[in-house]
Amino acid sequence: MKRLVILILVIVVLGFTSAEYLKRTRVFVAPESQLIIKGKTNINKFSCTFDATNLKNPIPVYFQNENDKMVFEETKLILSTRCFDCGNKPMNNDFYDLLQAKAYPEIVLNLRSVTMESNNDNSINADVDINISGVINSYKLPLKMYGTDTMEISGTLKLNINDFNIEAPRKALGLIVVSEFIEIDLRLHVTEGTTL
């Protein structure tokens, strides 16, 4: 019984200690921000642009510094799949069907950590979990960061949709084949709000 009490006290003390170091703030993503998913078929290229005015602002940010990196908890960029525009209604519908938007209406980017590049003040590496169509994969995303009051964060991530259990579609009786490789280009304009 005495060991159980000591164990509970240690857990409680550690719990309060770690919570003290967790910092909180919130950020606003400006409407001029861009997030574009680019792909190609065997005959053409396409791009689907997210309407950043539909982001839910402010975005809460929870983090702590650990040595040379910042570690985040529950810091997510949530994108409604139906807020992507591919240029015309048939392409939009194909895109929504591809991502199973009815069953999975959101793409979620969960920021796990950020590490500054030692040789360049503007370069950072972000560890992110990306949830598309209910499947989560982890990526290291190289980013550039500029500005002070309003920061511009930009980068490109190439990924394979097969990693999300999405099969590249074929159109026009199989004559048009969509590549399984896509590219996510982002250029976010971010300002920090008051702390939570």
Side-chain angles (χ1 to χ4, degrees):
M1 180 68 174
K2 188 175 180 182
R3 285 183 180 174
L4 180 62
V5 171
I6 292 172
L7 179 62
I8 291 172
L9 284 174
V10 167
I11 291 171
V12 168
V13 168
L14 288 176
F16 283 122
T17 303
S18 62
E20 287 176 0
Y21 294 110
L22 192 64
K23 297 174 186 168
R24 297 179 234 174
T25 189
R26 55 187 177 174
V27 296
F28 293 86
V29 180
E32 65 269 18
S33 297
Q34 293 183 339
L35 193 143
I36 303 170
I37 296 179
K38 298 178 180 179
K40 61 183 178 179
T41 69
N42 56 331
I43 59 170
N44 207 351
K45 294 181 180 179
F46 64 90
S47 63
C48 301
T49 303
F50 183 78
D51 182 358
T53 61
N54 287 294
L55 282 173
K56 186 178 177 185
N57 274 311
I59 298 169
V61 177
Y62 305 94
F63 67 97
Q64 60 188 8
N65 294 316
E66 288 185 6
N67 299 324
D68 62 341
K69 68 179 177 180
M70 294 173 67
V71 178
F72 296 84
E73 290 184 21
E74 294 299 316
T75 301
K76 298 178 181 181
L77 185 61
I78 300 174
L79 311 171
S80 173
T81 305
R82 292 196 180 272
C83 290
F84 280 91
D85 182 8
C86 303
N88 62 58
K89 191 171 182 176
M91 285 187 66
N92 288 348
N93 290 334
D94 288 346
F95 182 76
Y96 305 151
D97 289 344
L98 177 70
L99 298 182
Q100 306 170 51
K102 285 183 182 174
Y104 305 101
E106 297 173 335
I107 297 171
V108 179
L109 286 75
N110 184 25
L111 181 62
R112 291 186 297 120
S113 68
V114 169
T115 307
M116 299 294 288
E117 285 285 328
S118 57
N119 58 350
N120 189 330
D121 290 340
N122 296 330
S123 296
I124 59 174
N125 284 311
D127 291 315
V128 295
D129 292 335
I130 301 178
N131 183 338
I132 299 175
S133 300
V135 177
I136 301 171
N137 286 302
S138 298
Y139 297 93
K140 188 170 288 294
L141 176 58
L143 296 168
K144 293 283 188 184
M145 188 171 61
Y146 301 98
T148 51
D149 293 335
T150 298
M151 288 193 311
E152 180 182 304
I153 302 167
S154 60
T156 300
L157 178 65
K158 295 179 181 179
L159 52 87
N160 186 328
I161 61 173
N162 293 338
D163 294 340
F164 295 92
N165 296 334
I166 297 172
E167 188 175 330
R170 294 173 176 264
K171 296 290 179 182
L173 301 174
L175 296 175
I176 301 173
V177 181
V178 177
S179 171
E180 69 270 21
F181 298 103
I182 62 170
E183 191 174 277
I184 300 174
D185 285 343
L186 62 90
R187 187 176 305 273
L188 302 178
H189 297 270
V190 179
T191 56
E192 185 177 3
T194 56
T195 55
L196 297 172

